[in-house]
Amino acid sequence: MPFTDLRQFLAVLEERGDLVRIREEVDPKFEIAAYIRKTSDAGGPAILFERVRGSTIPVVGGIFAHRRRAVLALDATPEVAVDRFNSAIASLLPTRRVSSGTCQEVVHRGQEADLTRLPIPTYSAKDCNPYITAGMVVSQDPETGSKNASIYRLEMKDGRRLGILCSAGHHLAMQFARAEARGKPLEVAIVLGPSPATLMATQWEAPYGVDELALAGALHGQPVEVVKCQTVDLEVPASAEIVIEGRILPAVREMEGPFGEYTGYYTDTSPKPVIEVTAITHRRDAIFQALLTGVPTTENHVIKMVPLEASYYSMLKARFPGVRAVHFPGPGGVGLMAVVSMRQTIKYEARSVIMAVLSATRNKLVVVVDDDIDPYNLEQVMWAVCTRAQPDQDMTVVPRLAGGYLDPSSRERDANCCLGIDATRPFGQPFAEVATVPGLDRVPDPSLWGRDSK
Ligand code: MN
């Protein structure tokens, strides 16, 4: 069964040699980010920073720096991770309230709730301030009470205040708009270090009103146990590491940014809502979770892959039974590019798939390939593009679609030009045969060559 808290997961990573401890003191300003960058680029382990300057709380980072750990967090294999995620979506388990939790072993309220005691890292050279990047923001609709949990970037402005980016259309932004229209603040609880499956559950494209924690429960195979917060009327996973309680203030906007984003570029500075902190609770020996974003591929990209692939796979499969797999590659920031592999059942079906994916608003480039192409292997994908598609007949350009929120090439705010490439062989027509070498199964793996085979 998947890990129901962060501790269990870290213990297993360490056992497998996929978590290293850094015992020398590190600076939360850039140094933690530099370690995570290196492990991301090298496909290396997760990192536990035992001593962080200016705080008594250790930091874990790079948990999602490689897809193998995202797959392990679901207790899956690469082949079944997407299916497991989709089966969980089909069997949501609501949270279960419990009376106490380790996330509240230590409680700081009011003036005692001081963000500067937390080891909040600064990631990229021009980031305006330290950022909380793995904070799961829990909130509820002020009218219906429906719940939401998702990750938003949070700027530490000072010891008591955070700036938050939640673009229009995000569920939290919809809830906040409703609260603000009544002149009321919106209560939030920012959860650091829930189980890794819970963090992945927040990246599911859930319909508005569906609690992402119910998916976390389904992924765990048991309901997520939640406790009531101390100063806000919300519930948070009982075994989380740290919880920051607060409220988004109505009619308040302050400049936020620049911040190095998932596209690999800094985003503009603009006025954003502000959270006033009302309490910080945590485990006695809490661990702070860092998460790097920036030039792909980082953990901020990897954490979204399986959830997005699952969302799009089930959406497409329902309409196009020949769809075999969907991949969101790192270079597209996991959102700007999708690759779909399929076996067409009717003429031009790949083009209908292109339109379906583009109309889901977050994609800029969609490539559809035949089912003999591995969509996870961009070398194979580009081979198909170069040898199975002719630009004048197999490309579709849509001049403007909603999207492109952080894409620096967007010439018009919140709009993108989109491209679909049908790199499938024309349906029902003869096509050049793929050249193959026979007998591959009789040759051992290269790592065994030159050794005594007896
Ligand atoms: Mn939601």
Side-chain angles (χ1 to χ4, degrees):
M1 263 200 329
F3 310 90
T4 57
D5 75 20
L6 180 63
R7 303 284 168 119
Q8 297 164 7
F9 187 63
L10 297 183
V12 168
L13 288 183
E14 193 160 28
E15 232 172 73
R16 295 176 165 224
D18 211 12
L19 174 95
V20 292
R21 290 169 183 268
I22 303 295
R23 298 199 160 87
E24 304 81 56
E25 186 181 79
V26 294
D27 196 325
K29 189 165 187 175
F30 306 139
E31 201 175 2
I32 286 175
Y35 272 91
I36 304 176
R37 182 78 252 178
K38 290 254 178 173
T39 202
S40 303
D41 295 344
I47 311 160
L48 184 63
F49 302 94
E50 293 188 343
R51 295 174 54 219
V52 181
R53 190 164 307 153
S55 180
T56 56
I57 297 176
V59 171
V60 68
I63 284 183
F64 292 104
H66 196 280
R67 190 174 169 112
R68 67 176 177 271
R69 288 192 289 275
V71 168
L72 179 66
L74 301 174
D75 190 28
T77 59
E79 296 74 32
V80 305
V82 166
D83 281 347
R84 174 147 310 172
F85 208 85
N86 270 326
S87 325
I89 288 173
S91 55
L92 300 179
L93 277 180
T95 56
R96 180 165 63 215
R97 174 88 161 261
V98 294
S99 56
S100 67
T102 44
C103 72
Q104 295 179 339
E105 283 174 342
V106 178
V107 177
H108 300 288
R109 290 168 210 260
Q111 294 299 324
E112 293 290 297
D114 181 1
L115 294 167
T116 64
R117 291 189 191 174
L118 301 178
I120 304 176
T122 307
Y123 292 91
S124 294
K126 294 191 174 173
D127 286 359
C128 61
N129 263 319
Y131 269 82
I132 296 172
T133 50
M136 177 176 80
V137 181
V138 171
S139 56
Q140 58 187 32
D141 185 297
E143 284 160 28
T144 66
S146 74
K147 292 172 180 174
N148 194 63
S150 193
I151 299 172
Y152 302 92
R153 80 183 199 206
L154 298 156
E155 174 208 8
M156 188 184 86
K157 291 178 176 291
D158 56 43
R160 304 294 312 282
R161 290 179 321 134
L162 296 157
I164 180 166
L165 169 68
C166 58
S167 315
H170 284 148
H171 295 168
L172 178 63
M174 291 158 71
Q175 294 177 345
F176 177 52
R178 288 178 186 182
E180 198 170 36
R182 301 163 162 199
K184 296 247 169 76
L186 182 78
E187 294 185 335
V188 291
I190 299 155
V191 180
L192 288 155
S195 79
T198 301
L199 276 188
M200 289 175 72
T202 67
Q203 301 302 297
W204 170 42
E205 302 220 314
Y208 184 78
V210 173
D211 186 4
E212 286 82 358
L213 291 184
L215 173 58
L219 288 169
H220 289 168
Q222 60 187 74
V224 173
E225 296 191 336
V226 292
V227 286
K228 194 175 177 320
C229 287
Q230 298 286 316
T231 59
V232 293
D233 187 21
L234 294 168
E235 295 170 335
V236 289
S239 64
E241 296 291 326
I242 300 168
V243 180
I244 302 165
E245 302 179 8
R247 42 201 201 150
I248 310 181
L249 303 173
V252 175
R253 299 292 186 279
E254 286 180 17
M255 296 306 272
E256 187 265 0
F259 175 73
E261 261 293 352
Y262 80 95
T263 54
Y265 302 88
Y266 294 105
T267 50
D268 284 350
T269 304
S270 64
K272 312 252 173 48
V274 174
I275 297 170
E276 179 186 74
V277 173
T278 54
I280 297 177
T281 75
H282 58 84
R283 283 179 180 244
R284 221 165 270 129
D285 56 349
I287 301 171
F288 180 98
Q289 184 172 353
L291 183 133
L292 177 71
T293 190
V295 176
T297 302
T298 67
E299 46 186 335
N300 183 39
H301 305 106
V302 171
I303 192 175
K304 293 185 285 187
M305 278 181 191
V306 171
L308 274 187
E309 287 161 10
S311 300
Y312 278 79
Y313 176 78
S314 58
M315 184 265 284
L316 291 173
K317 189 78 178 169
R319 286 177 56 194
F320 309 103
V323 166
R324 292 289 164 84
V326 183
H327 177 48
F328 286 84
V334 185
L336 292 175
M337 176 181 183
V339 183
V340 181
S341 81
M342 70 180 298
R343 178 175 293 246
Q344 295 190 92
T345 57
I346 50 168
K347 195 162 68 169
Y348 298 136
E349 195 176 23
R351 295 165 197 217
S352 299
V353 168
I354 287 171
M355 300 319 288
V357 177
L358 288 180
S359 70
T361 74
R362 60 187 306 147
N363 307 283
K364 181 183 186 182
L365 169 60
V366 181
V367 182
V368 182
V369 293
D370 295 307
D371 66 348
D372 64 325
I373 302 291
D374 175 4
Y376 291 90
N377 183 333
L378 288 187
E379 194 158 300
Q380 282 189 26
V381 171
M382 291 315 292
W383 172 62
V385 167
C386 291
T387 59
R388 298 183 188 182
Q390 285 291 311
D392 66 331
Q393 294 170 65
D394 300 314
M395 285 192 351
T396 307
V397 174
V398 183
R400 287 291 175 280
L401 283 176
Y405 303 111
L406 297 175
D407 179 350
S409 70
S410 297
R411 309 250 164 105
E412 195 179 317
R413 196 178 161 80
D414 299 345
N416 248 345
C417 173
C418 298
L419 169 64
I421 303 175
D422 175 1
T424 61
R425 289 170 288 215
F427 180 79
Q429 292 174 39
F431 198 84
E433 192 181 344
V434 174
T436 57
V437 175
L440 285 180
D441 54 337
R442 293 197 295 276
V443 178
D445 191 85
S447 63
L448 302 172
W449 295 352
R451 293 188 192 173
D452 189 353
S453 58
K454 274 185 286 186

